[in-house]
Amino acid sequence: MVWMSGSVAERERSAAPDGGTDLLTVGVEEEFLLVDPHTGAAVPAVDLVMEQVPAELRGQVEREFQTSQIEIGSPPGLELSSIRHSLGMLRAELAAAAERAGVRLLAIGTGPVDGPVPPVVDKPRFDRMIERFRLLVPGPGNNGMHVHVGVPDAETGVQVLNHVRPWLPILHAVTANSPFARGEDTGYASWRSVEWERWPSVAPTPWLESHEHYERLIRQLIASGVMLDEGMLYWYARLSAKYPTVEIRIGDVCPTVDDAVLVAALVRALVASARTEIDEGRPAINTDHHLLVAAHWRAAHDGLEGEGVDLTDGELRPAWELLDGLVERVRPELERHGDLDQVTDLLGGLRRHGSGAARQRAVFARTGNLVDVVADVARQTRG
């Protein structure tokens, strides 16, 4: 890893040079599925859609791993309003580009309708991944959300990773948005999580002693063969290989911009709270790895509507109780960043509407038709 890669401007925006008292930048990457508007099945249409994307936006739109996927990235910002504007504009433009190409854009963890597995994008690195890992490509495409929060240096970033580990399962539950696959209810709120874990480098972030330990693990994992390169470090939280940020990458892509903004605000507040704990010399909770795995499994299974593992004592609690506890924990940073009122409003909406998984199941319960589920997700995606 070359820490602090990227432009000087990015470094200046992302750093908090006075030890955590500055506001932290946040940026969001979102992956989407391209589907047939009539059947709802995933289609290999990324090239057709890219041709329809306005030229001025192409720097913020990229191909993903499979030809049924496409990705956007918001510029880093201090204000949630700027993140909302960027994501809303990019989603609307990309949805319109997809429609011009004859397909639909879905903010969904994985495709609910059965169909042929779209091919992988023709790229040398992806070709090497298929050659090495063969049949791990899980289906129509796994679509996640990655939140980047600025940190001043790699050593601080590693400490942040230790501090945020116990709180990621509840964010995992909040983002659950893939209950259906191959034409049926999987019994999970986030089936994407189950499919994604086929890759050998997908895991909760381990306890890290230092940045040197982090880099040594990367070298060892590459040498073992489970990763081709640092880009395949699919831990639920990691240091970005491109930018001076901590990257939280546990969630399904969120169905709406509101949901994405809520998660971005909570992630930033969680990282900022970790920075404060580090500055004050408070140790991170060294959660047992197997209990952490169990907590993430429970989050993928139950989502926000069930129970989750409280990693402070290992007990099961209602997921909403755990989410309320996280919000209370990070409330000072939500206030400091000016996000508390907006987060309170967005949490109210989430309580009313339920998680993405719950919304999909509600549509299916009314109509019994996954094409209706696809249409409703497309409506939420565009906003």
Side-chain angles (χ1 to χ4, degrees), residues 273-297:
S273 297
R275 292 282 307 277
T276 297
E277 291 170 358
I278 293 164
D279 292 343
E280 294 177 354
R282 286 186 274 160
I285 301 170
N286 189 353
T287 304
D288 181 86
H289 173 77
H290 293 287
L291 187 59
L292 195 58
V293 169
H296 280 289
W297 176 85

Side-chain angles (χ1 to χ4, degrees), residues 8 33 98 219 301:
V8 172
L33 190 68
R219 292 193 300 270
H301 184 272

Side-chain angles (χ1 to χ4, degrees), residues 160-181:
V160 167
L161 295 179
N162 285 341
H163 279 258
V164 302
R165 288 168 80 238
W167 309 102
L168 296 187
I170 187 56
L171 292 175
H172 192 168
V174 169
T175 61
N177 187 35
S178 50
F180 297 102

Side-chain angles (χ1 to χ4, degrees), residues 318-336:
W320 264 103
E321 182 179 321
L322 297 178
L323 179 55
D324 288 340
L326 171 63
V327 173
E328 191 60 33
R329 178 183 179 84
V330 303
R331 178 181 294 272
E333 291 299 339
L334 291 173
E335 291 177 336
R336 193 169 71 85

Side-chain angles (χ1 to χ4, degrees), residues 13-283:
R13 284 196 300 268
S14 296
D18 65 352
T21 59
D22 286 353
L23 303 184
L24 305 185
T25 57
V26 62
V28 175
E29 297 169 342
E30 295 187 302
E31 299 162 352
F32 303 99
L33 190 68
L34 303 171
V35 301
D36 184 291
H38 306 293
T39 68
V43 289
V46 68
D47 289 340
L48 294 174
V49 175
M50 289 293 288
E51 290 173 2
Q52 298 297 325
V53 174
E56 65 273 16
L57 298 181
R58 288 179 186 170
Q60 293 174 266
V61 180
E62 295 183 0
R63 293 168 178 81
E64 238 297 320
F65 186 61
Q66 286 172 261
T67 52
S68 53
Q69 297 176 278
I70 197 163
E71 179 180 12
I72 63 172
S74 75
L78 292 172
E79 301 292 336
L80 286 187
S81 58
S82 67
I83 301 300
R84 176 183 294 280
H85 172 77
S86 295
L87 293 180
M89 180 268 295
L90 286 167
R91 281 182 176 225
E93 292 286 355
L94 198 54
E99 290 167 9
R100 290 192 293 271
V103 298
R104 265 182 174 158
L105 185 78
L106 298 188
I108 195 168
T110 193
V113 177
D114 199 13
V117 176
V120 171
V121 168
D122 185 13
K123 187 176 179 181
R125 180 172 178 269
F126 293 164
D127 292 341
R128 293 195 303 274
M129 289 171 68
I130 294 301
E131 182 180 2
R132 170 80 59 86
F133 301 104
R134 305 300 292 176
L135 293 178
L136 292 185
V137 177
N142 283 165
N143 305 296
M145 172 190 185
H146 305 157
V147 182
H148 290 258
V149 181
V151 290
D153 57 77
E155 203 64 57
T156 300
V158 165
Q159 293 183 64
V160 167
L161 295 179
N162 285 341
H163 279 258
V164 302
R165 288 168 80 238
W167 309 102
L168 296 187
I170 187 56
L171 292 175
H172 192 168
V174 169
T175 61
N177 187 35
S178 50
F180 297 102
R182 300 178 184 88
E184 60 181 294
D185 194 319
T186 65
Y188 283 77
S190 174
W191 186 248
R192 178 203 65 89
S193 303
V194 177
E195 292 187 326
W196 183 228
E197 286 176 1
R198 295 180 183 184
W199 292 92
S201 56
V202 174
T205 309
W207 181 266
L208 298 161
E209 300 298 335
S210 63
H211 182 233
E212 190 281 328
H213 181 207
Y214 180 93
E215 293 201 311
R216 184 171 72 251
L217 277 175
I218 291 173
R219 292 193 300 270
Q220 291 169 335
L221 290 170
I222 292 172
S224 77
V226 302
M227 292 164 38
L228 292 180
D229 51 37
E230 187 179 347
M232 283 191 70
L233 186 71
Y234 297 144
W235 292 344
Y236 298 158
R238 68 182 187 184
L239 303 182
S240 172
K242 295 180 179 179
Y243 308 113
T245 62
V246 165
E247 180 183 3
I248 307 300
R249 45 188 295 115
I250 183 54
D252 290 2
V253 63
C254 291
T256 69
V257 171
D258 275 355
D259 298 317
V261 170
L262 171 61
V263 173
L266 291 175
V267 168
R268 174 166 65 176
L270 181 60
V271 171
S273 297
R275 292 282 307 277
T276 297
E277 291 170 358
I278 293 164
D279 292 343
E280 294 177 354
R282 286 186 274 160

